[in-house]
Amino acid sequence: MKRTESILAILALALISFPAGSKPAKQTVRPVMVAGNGDLDACMSTSSVKPLKPGSFLSVRAGPSVKAKEIARLRSGDAVWNCDSAGAWAGVVFNPKQRTQDEGIACDLGPSNTARRPYRGDCQSGWVHGSYLVNLAG
């Protein structure tokens, strides 16, 4: 009898936690778009990550939302290309092996005079909250 009561209690709890018809939260995924700027660069500017508390990092996400999956981490001073935007979010391209603007950001952004397209180069791309970036050029 106790086992049956335990199973029923677990099922009742599950129904409360997951009401009928509810769906799990959908992950926000949005590719970072580059080009489409005519004769201008494929990405409009470069930035660096603002100074963060020691040991802290800036999460790079798969889409412009805190609910989107974290796909990488940037540190204070890391340089990025600003290629896209969505409200307060910046779509960035970065090379984790080249951390500063002085080292350059070699990311093969491709031709700028083509239609707007998702970034598919050798570097990483994702979304960060723009309030954590300092504009360097552009």
Side-chain angles (χ1 to χ4, degrees):
M1 185 71 169
K2 275 191 162 194
R3 181 180 167 147
T4 303
E5 290 173 355
S6 295
I7 291 172
L8 288 174
I10 291 170
L11 287 173
L13 199 57
L15 288 174
I16 293 169
S17 300
F18 301 102
S22 71
K23 296 179 182 177
K26 188 176 182 180
Q27 282 286 338
T28 303
V29 176
R30 179 174 166 183
V32 173
M33 304 296 281
V34 298
N37 301 319
D39 291 334
L40 301 175
D41 292 336
C43 292
M44 298 304 290
S45 63
T46 57
S47 294
S48 68
V49 176
K50 284 183 177 180
L52 304 171
K53 293 179 183 177
S56 296
F57 57 86
L58 175 60
S59 292
V60 180
R61 301 197 175 271
S65 167
V66 294
K67 293 181 180 179
K69 180 181 178 183
E70 181 185 90
I71 56 175
R73 293 178 173 181
L74 297 171
R75 294 185 203 111
S76 297
D78 283 356
V80 299
W81 285 100
N82 295 331
C83 303
D84 202 350
S85 64
W89 290 83
V92 298
V93 172
F94 59 98
N95 186 337
K97 295 177 183 172
Q98 295 174 309
R99 298 200 50 223
T100 67
Q101 182 66 21
D102 294 338
E103 296 170 334
I105 314 172
C107 285
D108 185 26
L109 298 169
S112 59
N113 60 350
T114 61
R116 199 116 172 99
R117 65 186 184 285
Y119 175 71
R120 301 258 192 261
D122 297 332
C123 293
Q124 291 181 282
S125 64
W127 295 86
V128 298
H129 198 277
S131 64
Y132 291 95
L133 298 178
V134 176
N135 192 35
L136 297 173

